[in-house]
Amino acid sequence: MLLGVNVDHVATIRQARRGIEPDPIMAATLAILGGADGITIHLREDRRHIQDRDLKILREVVPVELNLEMASTKEMVGIAINTKPDLVTLVPEKRQELTTEGGLDVKNKRRLIQDVIKKIQDNGMPVSLFINPDHHDITISKEIGTDMVEIHTGMYAEAKGKKQEKELLRIMNAVKHAIDIGLVVNAGHGLNYFNVSKIASIKDIRGLYIGHSIVSRAVLVGMERAVREMKHLIRTAIENKGITYTSSEQ
Ligand code: PXP
């Protein structure tokens, strides 16, 4: 299972002073040395953390998957076409939110998202849609031509006890449905060192996209070590208790 490390919050610290440090480019390099299989950045419309310069330099220096998260806007489509990341993940974006709060509204924004998917694919890049673990949203995602989906794990991450088990089951069922209809499936949001193992145990998931918890740990122990520790948890989860589906789980 791949680990894509989101370095947005390294840029958040930099932008607190509008200076040059810490540099997300250096953070990305160290994350790769620690075992990251990919680097993710979200170039937001308000440029609150990642800047255009970061995307440009990362495109030149990142030898693993560079995943650009972006809103479905004309400006962002142009930027993606010019810089050619390895993967474009479409996410909803609201100016007031602290972070991406929910999955894409593929039901109501179907036409717009379908159009953006086509433009990105026509320019040689695969597309992933960040969506809630919802059967209908997965079906629509397939219908509108996406290559991959990233299942939103935020509700699982925030829930406790029995509620969290329910959310885990929702994610497992969503993954199964997506695989069954021929989508490649990733997952992410809110995953940390304490809740990642159960998600990493779901065998059919291609990759996990994790940011805040890794950057938070990196502040204390360094980026390389923070990534290595997350990679270790993911690897152990897969080796020890890979969850497979049985009919009773559906
Ligand atoms: N996946 C998507 C689509 C996101 O928008 C984010 C947050 O930028 C993440 C994964 C990573 O979430 P977190 O920072 O909570 O690990």
Side-chain angles (χ1 to χ4, degrees), residues 6 8 69 89 91 99-100 130 150 188-191 209-212:
N6 181 317
D8 288 353
E69 285 179 13
T89 300
V91 297
T99 180
T100 314
F130 183 56
E150 181 181 332
H189 212 282
L191 296 177
Y209 291 91
I210 307 178
H212 190 267

Side-chain angles (χ1 to χ4, degrees), residues 3-6 187-188 191-192 196 208-214 230 234:
L3 170 62
V5 176
N6 181 317
L191 296 177
N192 61 36
V196 74
L208 301 180
Y209 291 91
I210 307 178
H212 190 267
S213 64
I214 292 178
M230 184 58 84
I234 293 171

Side-chain angles (χ1 to χ4, degrees), residues 197 200-201 230-242:
S197 296
S201 300
M230 184 58 84
K231 278 288 285 192
H232 177 73
L233 281 173
I234 293 171
R235 205 174 297 125
T236 311
I238 296 166
E239 283 165 8
N240 292 354
K241 26 181 171 27

Side-chain angles (χ1 to χ4, degrees), residues 183-235:
L183 287 167
V184 175
V185 187
N186 300 304
H189 212 282
L191 296 177
N192 61 36
Y193 294 81
F194 307 100
N195 65 22
V196 74
S197 296
K198 285 192 176 143
I199 300 294
S201 300
I202 305 172
K203 277 180 175 166
D204 295 320
I205 295 179
R206 166 188 174 267
L208 301 180
Y209 291 91
I210 307 178
H212 190 267
S213 64
I214 292 178
V215 173
S216 300
R217 186 168 288 211
V219 169
L220 303 177
V221 305
M223 182 57 96
E224 253 189 275
R225 181 170 149 190
V227 174
R228 215 175 291 124
E229 288 174 359
M230 184 58 84
K231 278 288 285 192
H232 177 73
L233 281 173
I234 293 171
R235 205 174 297 125

Side-chain angles (χ1 to χ4, degrees), residues 104 106-107 110 129-146 148-152 170-186:
L104 284 166
V106 284
K107 219 171 291 166
R110 184 186 179 114
L129 301 184
F130 183 56
I131 55 169
N132 293 323
D134 177 271
H135 193 93
H136 200 40
D137 287 357
I138 291 164
T139 306
I140 296 173
S141 298
K142 175 68 179 173
E143 285 168 5
I144 61 179
T146 193
M148 302 183 199
V149 287
E150 181 181 332
I151 303 290
H152 193 333
R170 250 182 102 200
I171 292 169
M172 291 171 68
N173 287 332
V175 172
K176 180 173 179 358
H177 177 51
I179 298 279
D180 284 349
I181 62 174
L183 287 167
V184 175
V185 187
N186 300 304

